[in-house]
Amino acid sequence: MKSAVILFPGSNRDRDMIKALEQISGQPVATVWHTETELPEADLYVLPGGFSYGDYLRSGAIAARSHIMPALKTAADQGRHVLGVCNGFQMLTEAGLLPGALMRNASLHFVCKEVMLETTSTNSAFTSHMEKGKVWRCPVAHHDGNYFADAETLKELEDEGRVAFRYADGTNPNGSINNIAGITSAKGNVLGMMPHPENLIEDLHGGVEGRALFESVMQNLAA
């Protein structure tokens, strides 16, 4: 699996993501600075976590208007796989690649801890090889992770099985509506999620639960 990570001023989980992708895929990962206008050939494009542009205006709002974003939209429209984690999820909603918005945590405090996630849909390339209904551990670290969408959009997401992950066992850290932790696009090739699976991919991290998501993409590409 060829992958590329897009970098922005303020990214701080980019190296974590690059390391995870290299370990799981066994291939070097390309990096793309946000001022570029073209993407390298890849199977998976990733918007990493962090605080792009210091979260000024709204989290992800400035990054969503970077020079590289039109190329990313084109790649998504062509069916390429796109993953946005934490700040990357915020960018995807701000850029219109995913619906809804990420608001301030209900507590109005930054949260950094481990939560439990339930894989609630296997309708996407990111989850099709994961076990539906399985509850697994994953770390979070965010201030603006409170997912919200209007009633019509929320019904569409639920009816179409586009809610990929929910916070489980009462561990919702931000007040997200319907305990939503991650959603996919209508085609299932774009995934945005607040938790950080890239930080739980080897035993030295305390577990390998995060590997399943990346391995699912790889298995779909190999099929």
Side-chain angles (χ1 to χ4, degrees):
M1 178 179 73
K2 293 182 179 179
S3 53
V5 175
I6 302 173
L7 308 179
F8 301 85
S11 296
N12 67 4
R13 294 300 184 99
D14 47 318
R15 297 301 167 187
D16 302 47
M17 183 63 71
I18 291 167
K19 182 68 173 179
L21 290 169
E22 287 179 342
Q23 283 202 16
I24 294 169
S25 70
Q27 296 190 42
V29 176
T31 57
V32 183
W33 189 235
H34 67 107
T35 56
E36 298 293 326
T37 57
E38 296 182 2
L39 289 167
E41 185 67 24
D43 303 303
L44 173 66
Y45 299 103
V46 182
L47 298 172
F51 302 92
S52 58
Y53 295 93
D55 280 349
Y56 287 111
L57 299 183
R58 294 181 307 277
S59 298
I62 300 177
R65 289 151 181 82
S66 294
H67 294 294
I68 196 62
M69 293 307 289
L72 187 68
K73 291 180 181 179
T74 298
D77 289 341
Q78 293 173 343
R80 299 296 180 92
H81 298 93
V82 178
L83 170 64
V85 174
C86 199
N87 192 222
F89 186 9
Q90 295 160 347
M91 293 180 207
L92 291 174
T93 59
E94 289 287 343
L97 272 74
L98 290 175
L102 282 307
M103 307 186 302
R104 291 287 171 89
N105 296 343
S107 66
L108 300 182
H109 290 290
F110 179 84
V111 294
C112 182
K113 62 182 181 180
E114 197 171 82
V115 299
M116 303 302 294
L117 296 181
E118 179 186 359
T119 302
T120 50
S121 173
T122 54
N123 290 351
S124 76
F126 297 94
T127 60
S128 62
H129 290 276
M130 298 178 73
E131 181 182 344
K132 186 175 182 179
K134 182 176 181 178
V135 176
W136 51 289
R137 299 180 302 130
C138 198
V140 298
H142 57 255
H143 190 277
D144 296 53
N146 186 353
Y147 182 77
F148 178 81
D150 61 75
E152 182 179 351
T153 299
L154 190 62
K155 184 178 187 304
E156 185 177 273
L157 290 172
E158 297 285 6
D159 290 349
E160 296 178 2
R162 292 168 54 191
V163 177
F165 305 110
R166 297 187 203 275
Y167 300 109
D169 299 343
T171 62
N172 185 333
N174 49 46
S176 287
I177 192 167
N178 288 17
N179 292 316
I180 291 174
I183 62 170
T184 62
S185 61
K187 292 181 181 179
N189 64 309
V190 179
L191 169 67
M193 61 186 297
M194 287 309 297
H196 289 271
E198 76 276 15
N199 289 152
L200 206 62
I201 54 94
E202 58 179 305
D203 289 330
L204 287 174
H205 292 163
V208 296
E209 287 91 332
R211 296 183 66 96
L213 184 149
F214 301 102
E215 291 170 346
S216 181
V217 178
M218 290 180 61
Q219 291 178 61
N220 271 283
L221 290 169

